[in-house]
Amino acid sequence: MASFYNNRFLVVFLLVVILVSSCKNEEKVEVQPKKETVEYEIYRPSEMANFMNAMYAYNVQLKQQIIKGETPVVMSLDLMKMHSAEMSNGHGRTPVWNSFVNVFIEAQQSVADTLSNVELKARYNDAINNCLACHKTECTGPIPKIKKLLIQ
Ligand code: HEC
């Protein structure tokens, strides 16, 4: 009798071991969704990408104002973010970036400069052409979208 109970105990014990180890296997499977979240993080827009989109939206608004004959007086962007914002993988402050960034900042600021002698539309298109100048080498994807900002 005692040996029968011992055997049953052994069988139960083995079952428990198998169950526990299969749980461990499931835990290993659970690692995969974590990998997916890491991939998701790669596609999350960088601080710079968000700022670029904000600049795009701001210039859409400027274009509409200028076409309506209004004079933009407020520059609502913090253009110093061009120097500080984190960029996504594969992008960085290359020598080309550095050669374009300050010229662009000045051009973008001058659009809302009410004391400027240069025609408003020319100042605006100059700012957009500076977006394009940097994008030609640093990030070619959005070029068609940025070109549509130009006022013909
Ligand atoms: C000095 C270089 C430079 C200038 C100037 C510049 N960009 Fe960019 N732009 C970049 C780089 C580099 C990226 C990629 C940033 C990243 O992914 O972190 C980018 C990304 C973008 C994106 C894509 C954002 C996304 O969702 O991935 C848009 C749209 C954009 N820029 C529009 C503009 C507009 C509009 C202007 C002008 C008002 C402008 N850019 C000026 C270099 C520049």
Side-chain angles (χ1 to χ4, degrees):
M1 273 301 163
S3 74
F4 171 75
Y5 274 113
N6 275 347
N7 280 341
R8 238 172 72 166
F9 177 75
L10 246 175
V11 166
V12 169
F13 178 76
L14 280 175
L15 271 176
V16 167
V17 167
I18 288 166
L19 277 177
V20 165
S21 58
S22 67
C23 279
K24 274 184 187 159
N25 283 342
E26 273 175 31
E27 271 174 9
K28 273 180 199 159
V29 171
E30 270 172 28
V31 172
Q32 273 173 334
K34 275 186 197 160
K35 270 189 192 162
E36 277 174 32
T37 56
V38 170
E39 278 173 28
Y40 169 75
E41 273 176 1
I42 292 169
Y43 295 121
R44 206 176 53 187
S46 65
E47 195 189 348
M48 184 62 85
N50 284 332
F51 182 64
M52 290 283 167
N53 285 319
M55 290 204 294
Y56 176 81
Y58 170 73
N59 281 292
V60 166
Q61 189 201 316
L62 280 188
K63 181 179 178 178
Q64 285 165 353
Q65 276 186 295
I66 294 169
I67 287 171
K68 273 194 244 161
E70 292 169 13
T71 306
V73 290
V74 185
M75 221 296 294
S76 58
L77 300 166
D78 176 9
L79 289 173
M80 290 307 116
K81 283 217 173 120
M82 290 292 280
H83 295 306
S84 66
E86 268 180 58
M87 297 195 212
S88 60
N89 290 345
H91 294 293
R93 289 180 175 80
T94 62
V96 179
W97 166 282
N98 288 327
S99 72
F100 283 120
V101 67
N102 289 319
V103 189
F104 160 72
I105 290 174
E106 252 182 61
Q108 182 73 76
Q109 272 167 343
S110 83
V111 182
D113 176 6
T114 49
L115 298 175
S116 172
N117 295 321
V118 182
E119 189 214 355
L120 178 58
K121 183 182 138 183
R123 271 181 280 144
Y124 170 82
N125 278 339
D126 186 42
I128 303 305
N129 280 320
N130 275 293
C131 307
L132 290 167
C134 187
H135 271 264
K136 261 176 203 138
T137 57
E138 299 309 284
C139 177
T140 51
I143 287 179
K145 188 175 156 180
I146 300 173
K147 273 192 177 155
K148 287 190 193 139
L149 286 173
L150 288 167
I151 300 176
Q152 298 308 318

